Every structure is written in structure tokens, then in C-alpha cells.
């Protein structure tokens, strides 16, 4: 899935994205920047540093609107980092706002983090592994898969909090559709790759 796209007319050949890309997954050709998909780890750094607004995060708003039309409950899994984006706003206010937009309900993804924490505790108690790399961040997972494959045996085979929460929602609520709302573009790729758990991803 191409989660990050380029508005070619906006690119001013400033090379800022290239300088800040941690894995150098950007090339320039014909005075335009190009993201090399099989090298990108979807960290979103190029989007943040671009002064020309030339990078776009692919929107799934229309996809969510279609989910609303199914008549099935659509539950938002809300990343706890929303407090950094919306000052003074708590979960109840966010829940009310999301319901007004068409969601049936909203819960904090921290529910999934609790599930994941218990899985990590089991892994530690079982022993036998000196190194366990958390698999919560999809960008880190991509980094290991693409650039440090020798570390794959150390990567925890555990769902991310997003997946764990959305899976939990679907187990509790029959026919529920799940939408993760958070700050990270990589979650779009994660949801696409691990199909059937997260139905759509929206970014702040």
C-alpha cells in the first residue's frame, strides 16, 4: 500500500526529505523527489520536514464513510497520544466528537497495550531469550525486516496494541468494524498487511 504519496508540482528540489530520511529511501530524478517503496520504513519523517507540503499521507476518510453505511457498529480505537494533539481534551470529549461523526463508540488503544503487556510478561517468564525486541511499532518492524533481517529471531511474535485492541473489539462486539485513529502513517501499512483486524486507519 502506498501510504505516502508525492505532489510533484509542490516539490522544489530542496533535498530536505533526503537529508532527513533515516534509511535514505528517497531519490531525486528530474528535479523531483521519489520515495522508494521497498526501502521506506514509513516513519513519516519526510512528511514532517517537507517545507513545501509535497508529501501526502493517503486518506482513508472515504473508506470510513463506507463503513458507516454498512449499518454495522464502527468502533474507533483511539491512540492515547491524542492528548498531545488536542490540548485539554479527554477521552469522553473525543468519544462524543467521534460519535457525532458517525462512530458507534470509541475506546483507547491502551486496552490493547494491556493485552500486549501480558503477552510480553509471559515471554519473559518462559525465559530462553536474552533479547526481545518489541513489535509494537510497525516502522521498527519494517526497519528490522528490510535492514537488519539477522535480528528477526529477536522480534517478539506479539500483536501490536492496535491489532490487539481491534481484535478484542471484534470478539466483544458482533459484526463490529474497527478504525484506528492515531499519529502514525505506518499503521496504515500495518492494517493492510495484517488483514481482517483493522478495517481502516485515520491519522490526526
Amino acid at each position: 500500500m502506498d501510504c505516502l504519496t508525492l505532489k510533484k508540482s509542490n516539490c522544489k528540489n530542496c533535498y530536505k526529505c533526503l537529508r532527513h530520511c533515516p534509511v535514505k529511501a528517497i531519490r531525486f530524478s528530474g528535479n523531483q523527489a521519489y520515495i522508494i517503496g521497498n526501502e521506506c520504513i514509513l516513519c513519516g519523517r519526510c512528511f514532517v520536514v517537507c517545507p513545501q507540503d509535497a508529501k501526502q499521507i493517503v486518506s482513508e476518510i472515504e473508506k470510513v464513510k463506507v463503513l458507516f453505511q454498512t449499518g454495522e457498529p464502527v468502533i474507533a480505537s483511539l491512540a492515547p497520544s491524542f492528548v498531545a494533539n488536542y490540548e485539554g481534551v479527554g477521552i469522553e470529549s473525543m468519544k462524543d466528537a467521534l460519535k457525532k461523526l458517525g462512530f458507534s463508540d470509541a475506546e483507547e488503544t491502551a486496552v490493547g497495550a494491556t493485552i500486549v503487556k501480558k503477552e510480553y510478561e509471559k515471554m519473559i517468564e518462559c525465559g530462553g531469550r536474552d533479547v526481545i525486541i518489541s513489535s509494537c511499532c510497525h516502522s521498527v518492524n519494517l526497519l528490522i525486516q528490510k535492514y537488519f533481517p539477522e535480528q528477526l529471531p529477536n522480534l517478539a511474535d506479539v500483536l501490536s496494541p492496535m491489532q490487539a485492541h481491534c481484535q478484542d473489539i471484534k470478539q466483544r462486539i458482533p459484526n463490529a468494524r474497527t478504525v484506528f485513529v492515531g499519529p502514525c502513517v505506518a499503521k496504515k501499512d500495518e492494517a493492510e498487511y495484517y488483514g481482517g483486524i483493522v478495517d481502516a486507519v485515520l491519522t490526526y
Side-chain angles (χ1 to χ4, degrees), residues 60-155:
E60 294 186 39
I61 290 173
E62 292 305 318
K63 188 176 181 180
V64 173
K65 287 180 179 178
V66 170
L67 292 177
F68 290 158
Q69 293 170 5
T70 64
E72 295 170 338
V74 181
I75 315 297
S77 173
L78 187 63
S81 55
F82 75 85
V83 296
N85 281 69
Y86 309 107
E87 190 176 347
V89 176
I91 183 61
E92 292 305 320
S93 296
M94 289 296 291
K95 201 179 280 194
D96 289 343
L98 288 166
K99 283 182 176 179
K100 286 176 183 176
L101 289 172
F103 286 91
S104 303
D105 201 359
E107 300 177 3
E108 288 196 70
T109 315
V111 173
T114 302
I115 296 168
V116 169
K117 173 182 171 284
K118 290 176 182 175
E119 290 302 312
Y120 280 117
E121 287 172 347
K122 286 179 189 175
M123 291 178 71
I124 293 167
E125 286 170 8
C126 289
R129 297 177 69 168
D130 293 329
V131 178
I132 299 173
I133 302 173
S134 166
S135 55
C136 291
C137 174
H138 190 61
S139 286
V140 171
N141 296 344
L142 290 174
L143 179 70
I144 292 170
Q145 290 164 16
K146 294 180 178 184
Y147 294 94
F148 303 99
E150 70 278 5
Q151 295 299 326
L152 282 171
N154 295 323
L155 190 61

Side-chain angles (χ1 to χ4, degrees), residues 33-80:
Y34 293 91
I35 298 168
I36 311 302
N38 62 356
E39 296 178 14
C40 178
I41 60 170
L42 293 170
C43 67
R45 187 73 183 143
C46 60
F47 175 80
V48 172
V49 301
C50 180
Q52 304 297 333
D53 192 31
K55 312 294 186 296
Q56 269 186 319
I57 296 174
V58 172
S59 173
E60 294 186 39
I61 290 173
E62 292 305 318
K63 188 176 181 180
V64 173
K65 287 180 179 178
V66 170
L67 292 177
F68 290 158
Q69 293 170 5
T70 64
E72 295 170 338
V74 181
I75 315 297
S77 173
L78 187 63

Side-chain angles (χ1 to χ4, degrees), residues 170-182:
K170 289 190 172 187
Q171 288 170 351
R172 287 186 283 115
I173 304 169
N175 304 316
R177 301 299 187 97
T178 56
V179 178
F180 177 74
V181 185

Side-chain angles (χ1 to χ4, degrees), residues 109 158-168 190 194 197-198:
T109 315
V158 177
L159 296 178
S160 71
M162 174 185 79
Q163 292 181 60
H165 186 215
C166 289
Q167 189 176 76
D168 177 62
E190 180 184 339
Y194 301 98
I197 301 175
V198 185

